[in-house]
Amino acid sequence: MKPIRPLILSAALTFALTAAPTSPAQAQIYDLRGAERVALERNLDLRAVSYSLRASESRLRGGYGLYDPVARVRLAEGEARDRSNLYFLADQTTVKERYRQFDLSLSQKLPTGAEIVAAFTNGRQDSTPPTAINPAYQSELRFSLTQPLLRGFGPTVTEQVILFAAKDRDVALEDLREQAFVLLGRVRDAYFDVLSLRDNLVYRETSVDLAEKVYSENRARVDAGVMAPVEILEAEVGLSQRQRELLDARRAYEDALDNLALLLNSGEAIEVADVTLDEPPLETDEESGLASALILRPDLLRRVREIERLDLEARINRNALLPSLDLDASYSHKGLAGTYNDNLSDLGTDELRNWQLGLTLSYPLGNRSARNDYRRSQQLIQGSRAQLEGLRDQIRNEIRAAIRLVEVSRKKIEVSGNGRALAEEKLRTLLKRREVGLATTRQVLEGEEDLALARTDQITSLADYNRAVTAYLRVTGLLLQHEGVALKNGGASSDQESLLQMSDR
């Protein structure tokens, strides 16, 4: 017996060093909703995806810049020299012109694909030999319109950068929602793990207390000569085994806390609230679950958004099959005089008015690039639709499996509860029999171990049921709605804030 007692003392010392409880002042306590809320605010993986959504939103807003008017200013001064080949300038073989130019223009894009330009040009020219008006001031006020009639016509083609950015933003939003689905599922599972392992830890502490009590009583009875010495050996072995199991239980519990803290991005010690696992009610139905999944599942909605983007690309590529037919229209007034004021006076009259109306037609013979781009987009759409149909079938199977898991978990809770009640009754009977010498130490310890297994089975069944509930909510797309999670302010928040918020209830 003596070689075993140091082992017991060593195990007890190890337990005392490793099982020191965390000071409540040092640990942040979370209930389930509190843990979910903090995870939505702090989790780094979710934050990384949120920046992708913000980037796509910035790109969408930037796409509307195509409708920003464009102002242009040009100022130039120079000199041009050339040889004249005119008969009446035979003695003046070199012609020199000095000029100064100042131009203003304002252009605007329209949703139809048209571009309107208003331009005002000014120039001063000195010529050697002199011309009829020297120096000459020349100005023009011009309005022009270029409108595609076939290729490039309409808002779909004109705003394609905006429309593609909007589809990419929708895809990024579904990526954020899917990451939130994954995160909440992991937080809930980790939280239920902590609760189940804490319950196991508490029972292991009770188990050690019982083993110590049995050891003390056996030793007293052996000293009194009413019990065989081998009973002390049985008690010592049982106590040592339960101390080791207590150490393992505490290690598993602290590992689970660390895992939860990692999901919460918490650098401080955490604890879970003083609650026990229960059996929350849940109504399951395959058809209603499938209906909600088809409108809420982010992975399916992302696939739908990708198909919508391909449809947009196909419409643009189909427009590229058309010939280019552009309507060109312009109207202007010109001025020409020896002084700048007289030149401007000419602009106010219609004496030097100019106008033009015309059509420009062009078409690449064969147009192979456009035809193959359109064919490629059609093929991608067909492939994506086939994948979408396969995903819908997969979702139905996932819902069926989740419903079966919920039902089986419910039954396991009932069975494990009955098993625990039976084990508790058996242990009470053994303890009473031991008091009158009708049960051995080994039988009592075996009965206590049977109760430990029954308790573990019951708490595991409860944890499995709660995880099954989470799985059902996830595969039906109801998880965020069930937890009251929505996009904060329509996605308008600072870069450091979470894009998702959880409602109070």
Side-chain angles (χ1 to χ4, degrees):
M1 290 186 288
K2 291 184 178 180
I4 296 179
R5 287 174 181 161
L7 176 62
I8 297 175
L9 295 175
S10 176
L13 179 59
T14 303
F15 166 71
L17 293 174
T18 59
T22 303
S23 173
Q26 296 177 348
Q28 183 68 36
I29 300 176
Y30 293 101
D31 60 8
L32 178 57
R33 288 191 61 79
E36 291 175 333
R37 181 177 287 107
V38 170
L40 292 175
E41 294 173 353
R42 298 183 185 176
N43 184 263
L44 296 179
D45 291 335
L46 185 63
R47 186 179 299 178
V49 177
S50 70
Y51 280 114
S52 297
L53 177 58
R54 287 187 172 98
S56 63
E57 185 68 34
S58 298
R59 182 179 173 221
L60 173 60
R61 291 194 296 266
Y64 286 95
L66 69 92
Y67 289 126
D68 292 342
V70 178
R72 293 183 178 87
V73 179
R74 180 175 180 269
L75 178 64
E77 184 172 357
E79 181 179 278
R81 295 171 178 261
D82 200 359
R83 292 189 182 278
S84 173
N85 195 30
L86 299 177
Y87 175 75
F88 57 85
L89 292 177
D91 295 334
Q92 301 278 346
T93 57
T94 300
V95 177
K96 182 174 70 173
E97 293 182 353
R98 289 187 60 85
Y99 62 87
R100 182 179 298 158
Q101 194 76 25
F102 177 66
D103 301 332
L104 294 171
S105 69
L106 186 66
S107 61
Q108 174 70 59
K109 193 78 171 177
L110 299 181
T112 60
E115 184 175 20
I116 299 177
V117 180
F120 180 46
T121 61
N122 296 273
R124 181 183 187 278
Q125 182 175 324
D126 294 300
S127 301
T128 303
T131 56
I133 301 177
N134 193 51
Y137 291 89
Q138 187 172 10
S139 299
E140 181 180 15
L141 181 60
R142 178 184 179 87
F143 299 92
S144 63
L145 168 71
T146 302
Q147 172 64 64
L149 300 179
L150 294 176
R151 181 189 298 176
F153 174 78
T156 298
V157 180
T158 304
E159 299 179 349
Q160 58 180 284
V161 173
I162 299 174
L163 297 175
F164 279 129
K167 297 302 179 184
D168 292 339
R169 188 271 314 271
D170 292 342
V171 171
L173 176 59
E174 298 307 327
D175 288 340
L176 176 68
R177 292 182 66 246
E178 184 171 19
Q179 184 63 37
F181 264 77
V182 173
L183 175 61
L184 286 185
R186 293 176 62 190
V187 169
R188 288 170 63 87
D189 290 347
Y191 192 87
F192 299 140
D193 283 342
V194 171
L195 290 181
S196 64
L197 291 171
R198 184 177 65 181
D199 184 272
N200 182 58
L201 174 62
V202 170
Y203 181 75
R204 290 299 176 184
E205 291 172 347
T206 304
S207 178
V208 169
D209 291 341
L210 177 61
E212 289 177 343
K213 180 181 178 181
V214 170
Y215 172 76
S216 298
E217 292 177 351
N218 283 8
R219 184 166 184 175
R221 290 179 181 181
V222 169
D223 292 342
V226 296
M227 181 176 284
V230 70
E231 295 296 327
I232 294 183
L233 181 60
E234 289 280 3
E236 286 179 331
V237 171
L239 176 59
S240 177
Q241 178 182 353
R242 280 151 184 76
Q243 288 175 332
R244 290 196 302 269
E245 290 169 348
L246 177 58
L247 292 174
D248 289 338
R250 178 164 292 278
R251 176 190 55 78
Y253 172 64
E254 293 179 349
D255 287 347
L257 281 177
D258 288 343
N259 181 47
L260 180 59
L262 180 62
L263 293 173
L264 305 186
N265 190 29
S266 175
E268 57 189 7
I270 68 169
E271 287 286 349
V272 295
D274 187 15
V275 296
T276 57
L277 281 172
D278 57 2
E279 185 180 351
L282 177 70
E283 295 184 3
T284 59
D285 180 75
E286 180 181 337
E287 294 305 322
S288 63
L290 179 62
S292 64
L294 294 180
I295 61 175
L296 295 175
R297 280 272 296 250
D299 53 343
L300 186 140
L301 292 179
R302 182 177 60 246
R303 180 67 64 183
V304 172
R305 302 292 177 258
E306 290 171 349
I307 293 176
E308 291 174 352
R309 193 184 194 282
L310 289 173
D311 283 332
L312 172 63
E313 182 179 339
R315 293 199 303 272
I316 295 172
N317 289 338
R318 183 170 62 244
N319 179 266
L321 296 173
L322 301 174
S324 177
L325 180 62
D326 297 336
L327 171 66
D328 300 310
S330 64
Y331 182 83
S332 69
H333 280 193
K334 290 186 176 181
L336 176 63
T339 65
Y340 187 65
N341 289 337
D342 291 340
N343 165 56
L344 293 180
S345 296
D346 280 350
L347 290 178
T349 68
D350 60 356
E351 182 178 354
L352 300 180
R353 69 180 182 272
N354 299 270
W355 65 272
Q356 176 180 294
L357 187 64
L359 294 172
T360 303
L361 175 67
S362 67
Y363 186 76
L365 300 181
N367 206 13
R368 286 180 292 179
S369 177
R371 286 191 291 107
N372 284 282
D373 285 344
Y374 179 66
R375 184 179 295 114
R376 170 184 169 275
S377 60
Q378 289 292 318
Q379 292 166 347
L380 289 176
I381 289 173
Q382 294 300 321
S384 294
R385 286 177 177 168
Q387 291 178 340
L388 178 62
E389 193 62 31
L391 180 57
R392 286 172 177 164
D393 293 339
Q394 177 184 335
I395 288 174
R396 181 181 287 275
N397 286 339
E398 290 177 354
I399 292 174
R400 289 173 177 170
I403 291 174
R404 286 192 292 267
L405 182 59
V406 169
E407 294 174 348
V408 169
S409 298
R410 281 199 185 105
K411 294 177 181 177
K412 287 174 64 177
I413 292 174
E414 180 181 356
V415 172
S416 61
N418 294 334
R420 174 178 174 175
L422 176 61
E424 288 175 344
E425 183 61 31
K426 287 175 63 177
L427 181 58
R428 280 194 294 269
T429 301
L430 287 170
L431 289 174
K432 291 178 180 179
R433 289 170 59 85
R434 177 176 173 275
E435 291 177 359
V436 295
L438 298 178
T440 65
T441 300
R442 177 185 292 274
Q443 289 174 328
V444 171
L445 294 176
E446 288 177 350
E448 190 277 330
E449 182 61 26
D450 290 341
L451 176 57
L453 295 176
R455 282 177 55 93
T456 300
D457 187 42
Q458 183 188 36
I459 198 66
T460 300
S461 298
L462 285 168
D464 288 345
Y465 173 78
N466 282 272
R467 281 191 284 264
V469 170
T470 301
Y472 178 80
L473 295 174
R474 185 176 62 250
V475 298
T476 56
L478 294 170
L479 182 57
L480 297 185
Q481 179 178 318
H482 182 270
E483 297 303 300
V485 178
L487 195 65
K488 181 186 298 183
N489 299 327
S493 61
S494 67
D495 287 351
Q496 300 304 318
E497 291 180 336
S498 171
L499 290 176
L500 297 171
Q501 63 181 356
M502 178 179 289
S503 62
D504 296 326
R505 63 183 184 183

